[in-house]
Amino acid sequence: MRSNIFVALLCLNLFCYLNAQSQPNKVTAAKEEKSYKNPIIPGFNPDPSICRVGNDYYLVTSTFEYFPGVPVYHSRDLVHWTMIGHCLQRPSQLNLDSVACSNGIYAPTLRWNKGTFYMITTLVGGKNPLKNFIVTAKNPAGPWSEPHWIANAPGIDPSLFFDDNGKVYYSGNDAPKVKMWDKHRNIWVQEIDLNTWKLTGMRMDVLDGSEYYKKGTLDGGIESGVNNYESSHIYKKEGQYYLMISHGGTSHNHAVSIWKSNNVFGPYELNPDNPILTHRLMPNVSDFTSTGHADLVQTQKGEWWIVYLAKRPYGGENFILGRETFMSPVNWNGVWPVVNPTGKVGKGELTHLKPDLKEDKKYRFITRDDFNGKILLPPWTFIRTPHTQWWSLSERPGFLRIQLRPDRIQDLTNPSFIGIRQGQINASATVKIEFKPAAEVEEAGLVVERDKDNYFKFTITMEAGQTNLRLVKRSSDQPVDEPIAKTVVQQGSIQLKITSEGVNYTFSYSLDGKNWKILRDKVDGRLLGMAGSGRFTGTFIGMYASSNGHESKNHADFDWFDRH
């Protein structure tokens, strides 16, 4: 009898223990169900701008030297996003010939008014003497118009504001005639006529950083707080005009501040709690850093949210993925907007409670492309503008055929490269390729690249009459191709895989799709993301073919591309 009672008590205690252990899991699961994780759009997606049309949300980001330019994302719940097209997808809209790395398309702003979408942006390093322009569309997925270039519009990061009296205003930045320090920039506003695409009326410098530079009043006197006024957006709420900007540069001192006025031309009153968003006082290797370049949106339920760029460091102060799109809640019930009011005020977090919107999980993260369509899917990206179509989905149905051309990945041209953003810290990309090199200058395979001087090439080549699989790296510290591994392969069909585990990249291959061999294990990939000024892009992984400065009639056929 005693033994039965003992067993019963033991079972009861075990049940209670297991039940207690399961409760935190249920609570955690419930919390996760109500939460979303940052970034909302991972991988190279900087400088987000957002607008709402009814129940739909649209967001655009910068693309720099990559083509097509300015991807358009769509969502109905602000959490799940799908790339539906690009604003600049024709060579006539965007000529990136010889544009240097991290030049090209800067900081677009997306707005909607009376049935028309407007995207305004800057082209840096282009051949046109004008650099700020607008394109329009009735459907955000396209087609978009040819560019309307804006004369007498200096500076970068332009924005449009549609006032309720029918007038439209352009805001931008510019270096003043007398700079008090090297990175002194002012914000200016001027009316624009969208029938003639001309600025009209008076231009007013509405925000001059020198006022705060002299007084040391912005950011508690941190000098970098007044550097690089940029990314201006104007909003109107309860009859007041609000001017929000980014400043401090796009690295660790990046910040967002806001001012208000009774007049669109000012004078603007400083928010005493500026900056409203920054991670500059956090460690350089926090979960994410460099928060800034933001835009605000109000939902149909009345909630306010802010989207902004940030960088996720890993492996030290290292940003392989580039600048990504994050989002945080905003309380704007009072005079000034407060970012993340119930959490770390003025800072973003990796997890926030979801917006009060019906969940819509239509976001399409391409995991596999079998190349069965008639055109490339929206996420596929080129380096600079392709003026001829050197790829085909029809010459061999079910395959993506890429022509070998003299252009190389390290040139300031348009190489035969078709890539996709690396969106996760731990990721893999696998491709099945059929390629037989006809000369030692010919190669085809996979490339993981940050820019023309920082990449890994994992390609099939020929040496001494034998077909080789070769791994080459190049870094800006030593901008020459450095072979780091190779092996002889006997057949023309092969599967190549690049796997990232943090900063380490492993390069593998298989001849049958079942048995895999590692060509080189855990290569240090920090060359793809070392901290440094002027590096505004992120990492792409893609298919590549080149005849390295020589003419060729050869091609490479890619059966499928798979990533996780």
Side-chain angles (χ1 to χ4, degrees):
M1 176 67 71
R2 289 182 179 177
S3 62
N4 290 340
I5 294 173
F6 175 78
V7 171
L9 289 173
L10 181 63
C11 291
L12 179 61
N13 288 336
L14 180 61
F15 171 79
C16 292
Y17 172 78
L18 294 175
N19 186 58
Q21 294 301 306
S22 68
Q23 293 307 310
N25 293 333
K26 291 181 180 179
V27 172
T28 300
K31 185 177 180 180
E32 288 181 352
E33 183 67 23
K34 296 179 180 179
S35 302
Y36 70 91
K37 294 182 179 179
N38 270 317
I40 55 170
I41 306 181
F44 167 53
N45 280 286
D47 308 325
S49 178
I50 190 171
C51 71
R52 177 175 68 88
V53 182
N55 296 327
D56 295 283
Y57 298 85
Y58 300 97
L59 185 149
V60 295
T61 61
S62 295
T63 42
F64 297 91
E65 73 264 30
Y66 293 92
F67 186 97
V70 188
V72 181
Y73 294 93
H74 171 250
S75 176
R76 286 198 164 182
D77 62 8
L78 289 174
V79 174
H80 303 93
W81 294 86
T82 300
M83 187 189 294
I84 59 173
H86 290 80
C87 296
L88 308 171
Q89 57 186 15
R90 301 186 300 275
S92 60
Q93 295 173 298
L94 180 59
N95 185 355
L96 294 169
D97 292 355
S98 302
V99 165
C101 298
S102 289
N103 281 355
I105 291 296
Y106 279 31
T109 293
L110 181 67
R111 294 293 181 257
W112 177 88
N113 186 63
K114 296 181 179 178
T116 299
F117 289 88
Y118 298 81
M119 191 282 293
I120 184 170
T121 189
T122 307
L123 173 58
V124 175
K127 295 182 178 180
N128 194 319
L130 303 178
K131 60 181 181 179
N132 291 305
F133 66 91
I134 299 171
V135 292
T136 64
K138 295 297 183 180
N139 183 342
W144 289 74
S145 72
E146 292 297 304
H148 303 286
W149 296 92
I150 311 302
N152 303 312
I156 62 172
D157 300 1
S159 184
L160 293 175
F161 168 66
F162 292 83
D163 207 344
D164 47 24
N165 61 6
K167 292 187 176 182
V168 186
Y169 296 93
Y170 178 118
S171 66
N173 81 338
D174 193 22
K177 293 181 179 179
V178 179
K179 292 198 299 184
M180 292 192 63
W181 70 99
D182 180 56
K183 297 179 180 179
H184 183 185
R185 301 291 185 273
N186 290 347
I187 301 296
W188 60 272
V189 172
Q190 189 171 358
E191 188 178 348
I192 184 170
D193 185 337
L194 295 184
N195 293 311
T196 63
W197 308 104
K198 291 182 179 180
L199 295 166
T200 182
M202 66 175 182
R203 176 178 301 172
M204 179 72 70
D205 274 8
V206 297
L207 206 60
D208 184 344
S210 65
E211 176 185 350
Y212 306 103
Y213 182 79
K214 294 173 186 174
K215 297 178 182 178
T217 55
L218 187 62
D219 297 345
I222 299 174
E223 180 180 320
S224 59
V226 295
N227 285 344
N228 294 319
Y229 278 13
E230 59 191 11
S231 178
S232 60
H233 293 304
I234 298 174
Y235 312 90
K236 196 172 187 179
K237 181 176 178 288
E238 299 175 0
Q240 293 280 297
Y241 295 91
Y242 286 84
L243 175 64
M244 188 173 75
I245 71 164
S246 293
H247 55 97
T250 61
S251 293
H252 194 67
N253 286 321
H254 211 189
V256 178
S257 291
I258 196 164
W259 288 253
K260 73 179 180 71
S261 176
N262 293 319
N263 190 301
V264 70
F265 292 113
Y268 279 89
E269 173 190 343
L270 172 72
N271 175 6
D273 292 324
N274 277 339
I276 62 171
L277 172 66
T278 187
H279 280 202
R280 66 164 49 131
L281 297 181
M282 298 176 68
N284 289 18
V285 290
S286 302
D287 289 332
F288 57 97
T289 70
S290 309
T291 54
H293 204 110
D295 201 3
L296 290 161
V297 68
Q298 187 179 29
T299 72
Q300 60 270 38
K301 299 286 188 71
E303 292 181 341
W304 284 92
W305 293 83
I306 189 168
V307 294
Y308 53 95
L309 69 78
K311 300 185 289 189
R312 287 185 284 173
Y314 55 98
E317 193 178 355
N318 185 71
F319 313 102
I320 289 175
L321 302 182
R323 301 177 300 166
E324 307 171 281
T325 292
F326 290 66
M327 182 177 74
S328 293
V330 174
N331 183 328
W332 204 350
N333 294 328
V335 173
W336 301 105
V338 178
V339 175
N340 196 17
T342 62
K344 300 175 182 176
V345 175
K347 299 178 178 61
E349 299 186 48
L350 285 177
T351 303
H352 290 292
L353 291 178
K354 292 177 180 176
D356 182 19
L357 297 170
K358 184 179 179 180
E359 189 172 59
D360 187 357
K361 294 184 178 181
K362 292 180 180 178
Y363 173 71
R364 293 182 62 203
F365 176 84
I366 294 178
T367 57
R368 186 179 176 95
D369 193 339
D370 288 302
F371 303 122
N372 292 322
K374 294 182 179 180
I375 60 173
L376 289 172
L377 296 173
W380 290 113
T381 298
F382 306 93
I383 301 173
R384 300 181 190 85
T385 306
H387 293 286
T388 60
Q389 188 163 328
W390 39 259
W391 68 95
S392 174
L393 289 165
S394 60
E395 289 182 12
R396 186 181 178 186
F399 287 77
L400 173 62
R401 174 164 290 180
I402 298 181
Q403 301 294 329
L404 273 68
R405 298 157 60 240
D407 304 87
R408 304 173 301 168
I409 197 77
Q410 65 265 41
D411 296 332
L412 283 177
T413 62
N414 167 238
S416 294
F417 172 85
I418 302 176
I420 203 162
R421 292 162 175 81
Q422 181 180 335
Q424 305 300 331
I425 295 171
N426 298 317
S428 69
T430 310
V431 70
K432 185 177 181 181
I433 177 176
E434 294 183 12
F435 172 61
K436 186 176 181 179
E440 293 193 356
V441 294
E442 295 184 347
E443 63 178 327
L446 283 177
V447 166
V448 52
E449 67 90 40
R450 176 63 175 261
D451 55 37
K452 73 179 186 66
D453 288 325
N454 295 275
Y455 58 73
F456 293 101
K457 287 194 302 183
F458 188 32
T459 56
I460 300 168
T461 64
M462 187 171 71
E463 184 177 326
Q466 290 186 314
T467 302
N468 285 343
L469 181 60
R470 183 173 61 186
L471 178 62
V472 168
K473 80 170 183 178
R474 184 185 184 100
S475 70
S476 52
D477 293 337
Q478 189 178 359
V480 295
D481 279 3
E482 177 188 349
I484 56 176
K486 69 177 180 178
T487 189
V488 175
V489 291
Q490 297 299 331
Q491 64 188 67
S493 178
I494 189 171
Q495 293 184 31
L496 306 178
K497 180 188 290 185
I498 299 177
T499 304
S500 66
E501 296 176 277
V503 300
N504 296 315
Y505 285 75
T506 295
F507 300 83
S508 309
Y509 67 99
S510 174
L511 302 179
D512 58 11
K514 299 177 182 178
N515 301 295
W516 287 87
K517 296 181 180 180
I518 294 176
L519 182 63
R520 188 68 184 267
D521 190 27
K522 296 181 179 178
V523 182
D524 190 338
R526 280 176 287 187
L527 61 92
L528 298 169
M530 292 300 289
S533 60
R535 295 185 66 182
F536 300 141
T537 59
T539 294
F540 283 80
I541 300 177
M543 298 157 287
Y544 174 68
S546 178
S547 51
N548 289 291
H550 298 77
E551 296 296 327
S552 173
K553 295 183 179 181
N554 205 354
H555 60 262
D557 288 340
F558 295 86
D559 190 357
W560 46 260
F561 183 99
D562 187 277
R563 67 166 179 162
H564 292 91

